[in-house]
């Protein structure tokens, strides 16, 4: 089996390679392609060191990378981390919360990225027509929908956020996560767990009156236990931006920085350290991953906790969800995973061709969504509004029309002002 990685110069490529090559999959080659040749030249040797003996090839052309591939991972960042940091700073200057997947930051990321991802998908159609695209490129749901709208490539959007929440909930319930079924629904970075079943019996009711257990689910102080008890749903971490935008904005202002700026500094230090002769590159890389994970959502939430698990261990993470998808398709196993797939009536409040994030049975035919039914009334309006915004953003990026772009951003719940939206579109897209 050959696996291709578009965006192979990205900082998470060695982690992905480490996970894939320590499986029972018959991988003979992982081919890496990136337009940033200097970054690829640094990441490829590190990926080879972590590859458990599988050949890692560095490709000069997309055609060479894709040829004979069974799976194509896409993890690109158009404009680099510098563009994310700039987006977030611009958004903050307008007094609005923005991040690379939500608000104006997510909008700018999508507008830059969709044309490139659609072109890559068409390249996959030409050079590896039977391959599955496994998309990590943010914002995952919007990108996956754009590729589905504009190409015939087979694509599944993946994110490790839901599975991390599943394991934290199971831990709070003192139950093995592998024995539980999670009733989960929503969009990427806009999802909720409605119920957890263990041996056929619902289990979440034991948490609603336990503030300590509810607090333990999130490693940062994102949601008050009283709020969760009233909501009767457990949101993924990114709902913090929608439920507490003023708090997040205040924390960012107080810190005088953004997550994108912090990662920009971490990345610069990583490549500098890796370039030094005689460096233990694996140790440097592990320290980088630990530092990056420790700072996750700290600035926005005002958290001080920094305890994180080893990047190589644990049941969840970027590499774990990637491996689970490939294994399930390759072995036709029917493994149930939360993924970004086309709706087809699953959530009746949304359109059939919308991309949603729900549990899927994954087999040789791809990801088959499990039925989750109607949205709970307490979150229905938010999901419908965000999906309207996502549809308009896809249309704007595919057409290049700035009027549609301004309309899209004005429909975002974190903006909701047409004048500000027009100003942001001009500044963000011109940059």
């Amino acid at each position: 089996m050959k696996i291709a990685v578009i965006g192979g110069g990205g900082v998470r490529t060695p982690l992905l390679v480490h996970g894939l090559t320590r499986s029972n999959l018959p991988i003979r080659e992982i081919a890496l392609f990136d337009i940033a040749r200097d970054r690829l030249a640094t990441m490829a040797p590190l990926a080879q060191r972590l590859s458990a003996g599988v050949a890692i090839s560095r490709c000069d052309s997309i055609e060479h990378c894709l040829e004979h591939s069974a799976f194509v991972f896409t993890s690109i960042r158009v404009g680099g981390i510098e563009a994310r940091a700039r987006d977030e700073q611009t958004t903050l200057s307008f007094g609005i919360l923005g991040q690379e997947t939500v608000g104006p930051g997510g909008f700018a990321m999508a507008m830059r990225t969709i044309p490139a991802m659609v072109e890559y998908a068409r390249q996959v159609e030409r050079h590896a027509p039977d391959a599955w695209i496994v998309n990590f490129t943010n914002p995952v749901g919007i990108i996956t929908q754009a590729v589905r709208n504009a190409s015939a490539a087979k694509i599944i959007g993946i994110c490790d956020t839901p599975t991390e929440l599943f394991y934290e909930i199971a831990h709070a319930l003192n139950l093995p996560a592998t024995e539980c079924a999670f009733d989960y629904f929503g969009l990427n970075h806009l999802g909720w767990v409605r119920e957890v079943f263990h041996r056929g019996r619902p289990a979440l009711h034991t948490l609603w009156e336990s503030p300590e257990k509810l607090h333990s689910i999130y490693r940062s102080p994102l949601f008050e236990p009283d709020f969760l008890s009233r909501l009767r749903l457990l949101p993924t971490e990114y709902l913090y931006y929608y439920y507490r935008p003023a708090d997040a904005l205040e924390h960012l202002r107080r810190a005088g920085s953004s997550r994108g700026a912090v990662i920009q500094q971490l990345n610069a230090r990583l490549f500098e350290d890796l370039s030094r002769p005689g460096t233990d590159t694996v140790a440097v890389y592990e320290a980088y991953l630990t530092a990056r994970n420790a700072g996750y959502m700290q600035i926005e939430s005002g958290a001080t906790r920094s305890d994180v698990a080893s990047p190589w261990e644990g049941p969840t993470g970027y590499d774990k969800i990637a491996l689970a998808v490939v294994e399930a398709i390759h072995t036709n196993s029917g493994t149930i995973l939360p993924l970004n797939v086309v709706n087809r009536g699953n959530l009746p409040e949304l359109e059939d061709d919308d991309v949603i994030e729900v549990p899927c049975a994954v087999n040789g035919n791809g990801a088959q969504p499990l039925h989750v039914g109607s949205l709970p009334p307490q979150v229905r309006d938010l999901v419908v509004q965000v999906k309207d915004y996502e549809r308009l953003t896809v249309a704007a990026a595919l057409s290049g029309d700035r009027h549609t772009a301004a309309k899209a951003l004005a429909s975002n719940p974190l903006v909701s002002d047409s004048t500000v939206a027009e100003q942001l579109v001009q500044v963000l897209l011109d940059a």
Side-chain angles (χ1 to χ4, degrees):
M1 176 193 298
K2 178 183 175 182
I3 293 177
V5 181
I6 299 176
V11 293
R12 293 196 290 185
T13 295
L15 181 63
L16 174 65
V17 168
H18 178 272
L20 290 172
T21 60
R22 279 162 178 76
S23 69
N24 293 321
L25 291 169
I27 301 173
R28 61 175 176 79
E29 178 188 3
I30 298 180
L32 309 180
F33 172 81
D34 203 304
I35 61 171
R37 301 295 175 83
D38 55 339
R39 292 170 63 92
L40 184 59
T42 299
M43 285 293 114
L46 178 56
Q48 184 67 74
R49 283 198 62 188
L50 294 167
S51 71
V54 174
I56 307 299
S57 57
R58 191 169 67 195
C59 302
D60 292 329
S61 71
I62 188 66
E63 297 84 1
H64 180 210
C65 181
L66 294 175
E67 189 178 20
H68 306 304
S69 294
F71 294 90
V72 179
F73 283 91
T74 50
S75 184
I76 68 171
R77 182 177 292 280
V78 178
I81 192 64
E82 296 79 10
R84 172 183 174 176
R86 184 178 63 241
D87 292 341
E88 292 176 351
Q89 187 57 47
T90 298
T91 301
L92 282 172
S93 72
F94 277 78
I96 297 174
L97 182 67
Q99 190 263 353
E100 71 165 337
T101 62
V102 299
F107 166 81
M109 177 80 164
M111 291 294 291
R112 276 196 306 274
T113 307
I114 285 172
M117 273 295 300
V118 167
E119 178 55 32
Y120 280 131
R122 291 171 177 165
Q123 294 279 5
V124 173
E125 282 186 74
R126 286 193 285 270
H127 303 291
D130 294 326
W132 285 97
I133 296 177
V134 183
N135 177 48
F136 268 119
T137 299
N138 277 325
V140 165
I142 299 177
I143 298 300
T144 303
Q145 181 146 348
V147 169
R148 283 191 54 84
N149 289 0
S151 80
K154 301 186 299 182
I155 185 169
I156 297 171
I158 67 177
C159 177
D160 54 357
T161 297
T163 53
E164 289 181 356
L165 178 60
F166 295 174
Y167 274 84
E168 294 297 340
I169 295 171
H171 181 73
L173 290 167
N174 198 29
L175 294 172
T178 54
E179 294 180 8
C180 295
F182 298 88
D183 177 10
Y184 174 81
F185 65 90
L187 311 176
N188 182 240
H189 289 183
L190 196 86
W192 296 261
V193 170
R194 178 166 42 194
E195 187 55 86
V196 177
F197 296 93
H198 182 245
R199 299 183 179 176
R201 295 188 182 278
L204 273 191
H205 65 277
T206 64
L207 294 184
W208 302 131
E209 305 306 322
S210 177
E212 297 81 7
K213 289 184 178 180
L214 286 172
H215 188 269
S216 72
I217 292 171
Y218 303 94
R219 67 177 178 176
S220 298
L222 304 178
F223 311 108
E224 292 296 328
D226 286 348
F227 168 76
L228 297 175
S229 293
R230 293 192 304 272
L231 187 64
R232 282 299 196 268
L233 300 167
L234 292 174
T236 58
E237 292 170 315
Y238 286 86
L239 264 299
Y240 173 76
Y241 296 112
Y242 296 94
Y243 288 141
R244 298 177 60 186
D247 291 339
L249 187 60
E250 176 58 27
H251 290 142
L252 285 164
R253 283 173 166 166
R254 192 177 302 162
S257 184
S258 70
R259 175 67 169 164
V262 170
I263 295 177
Q264 183 179 2
Q265 293 171 0
L266 286 172
N267 287 2
R269 190 177 309 126
L270 171 67
F271 281 93
E272 180 181 344
D273 291 344
L274 290 175
S275 68
R276 291 182 181 137
T279 296
D280 183 344
T281 55
V282 172
V284 165
Y285 184 63
E286 183 170 358
Y288 163 82
L289 291 176
T290 300
R292 178 168 175 154
N293 292 343
Y296 177 66
M297 292 199 79
Q298 275 194 307
I299 297 175
E300 303 94 323
S301 66
T304 56
R305 284 180 62 183
S306 60
D307 53 310
V308 293
S310 165
W312 314 115
E313 299 172 0
T316 64
Y318 177 87
D319 53 324
K320 310 298 191 305
I321 187 70
L323 174 59
V325 170
V326 175
E327 283 185 330
I329 293 176
H330 178 72
T331 63
N332 195 37
S333 67
T335 302
I336 296 175
L337 299 167
L339 298 168
N340 288 264
V341 295
V342 67
N343 185 26
R344 296 195 181 119
N346 199 344
L347 294 176
E349 295 85 355
L350 303 183
E351 296 179 7
D352 283 354
D353 60 354
D354 284 338
V355 166
I356 61 174
E357 188 171 79
V358 292
C360 301
V362 188
N363 56 32
N365 290 306
Q368 315 303 316
L370 303 182
H371 181 69
V372 296
S374 296
L375 294 165
Q378 61 268 44
V379 300
R380 182 180 299 134
D381 289 348
L382 178 59
V383 175
V384 170
Q385 183 179 0
V386 171
K387 195 66 229 186
D388 286 343
Y389 149 74
E390 291 188 353
R391 283 192 218 102
L392 284 167
T393 300
V394 170
L398 293 176
S399 67
D401 181 69
R402 289 212 173 185
H403 175 74
T404 305
K407 185 178 178 182
L409 192 53
S411 70
N412 188 289
L414 296 179
V415 180
S416 300
D417 183 304
S418 58
T419 301
V420 172
E422 289 175 1
Q423 293 171 350
L424 273 166
V425 164
Q426 181 175 349
V427 174
L428 290 170
L429 299 193
D430 284 351

